[in-house]
């Protein structure tokens, strides 16, 4: 496994750990955003659990690198959903999608680098 893939795994695991915790703890900023997206609160919990599953799979990818393309595809789907929620559901300014776009790009690079 290349150093690039390892660094990307660590960045993605860190970012999704933080995001997952914020969703599962229902921090005020996350609840406010979720209300702007007009999604039900149970979907906040489900998304947080999905992100947590992604983190666990990213960490398992250190031992089982064949998991990385699959978790990468899952994270891409999550980030496309996040971009959609920001731009179309909440009508946020595009700058609000920077983090999601970065995580999307890193997921794509991770998949490409594991082939």
């Amino acid at each position: 496994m290349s150093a690039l893939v390892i660094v990307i795994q660590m960045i993605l695991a860190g970012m999704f750990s933080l995001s997952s915790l914020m969703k599962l703890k229902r921090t005020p900023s996350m609840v406010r955003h979720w209300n702007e997206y007009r999604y039900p609160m149970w979907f906040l919990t489900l998304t947080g659990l999905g992100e947590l599953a992604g983190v666990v799979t990213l960490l398992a990818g250190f031992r089982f690198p064949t998991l990385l393309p699959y978790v990468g595809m899952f994270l891409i789907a999550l980030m496309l959903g996040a971009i959609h929620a920001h731009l179309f559901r909440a009508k946020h300014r595009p700058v609000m999608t920077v983090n999601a776009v970065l995580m999307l790009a890193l997921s794509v690079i991770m998949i490409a680098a594991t082939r």
Side-chain angles (χ1 to χ4, degrees):
M1 190 165 23
S2 74
L4 174 65
V5 173
I6 292 170
V7 169
I8 290 173
Q9 277 178 268
M10 292 179 356
I11 292 169
L12 289 172
M15 292 300 292
F16 280 105
S17 292
L18 179 62
S19 179
S20 175
L21 285 174
M22 290 176 68
K23 285 176 178 71
L24 294 174
K25 288 184 71 167
R26 294 194 178 196
T27 62
S29 63
M30 193 58 68
V31 169
R32 184 179 67 252
H33 276 202
W34 217 256
N35 286 327
E36 291 171 359
Y37 305 148
R38 300 179 320 275
Y39 288 134
M41 282 299 141
W42 63 263
F43 193 57
L44 175 67
T45 302
L46 183 65
T47 303
L49 290 172
E51 289 177 349
L52 184 58
V55 170
V56 169
T57 308
L58 281 166
L59 296 177
F62 287 111
R63 177 74 172 97
F64 305 104
T66 56
L67 294 173
L68 294 178
Y70 301 106
V71 70
M73 288 185 283
F74 177 70
L75 297 177
I76 287 169
L78 283 177
M79 291 304 91
L80 288 173
I83 292 166
H84 177 268
H86 280 293
L87 294 179
F88 299 104
R89 292 194 58 96
K91 302 204 185 317
H92 288 154
R93 294 175 303 157
V95 71
M96 294 291 289
T97 66
V98 169
N99 186 49
V101 170
L102 177 61
M103 298 301 105
L104 173 71
L106 288 174
S107 298
V108 170
I109 294 167
M110 181 179 71
I111 291 170
T114 58
R115 293 185 170 239

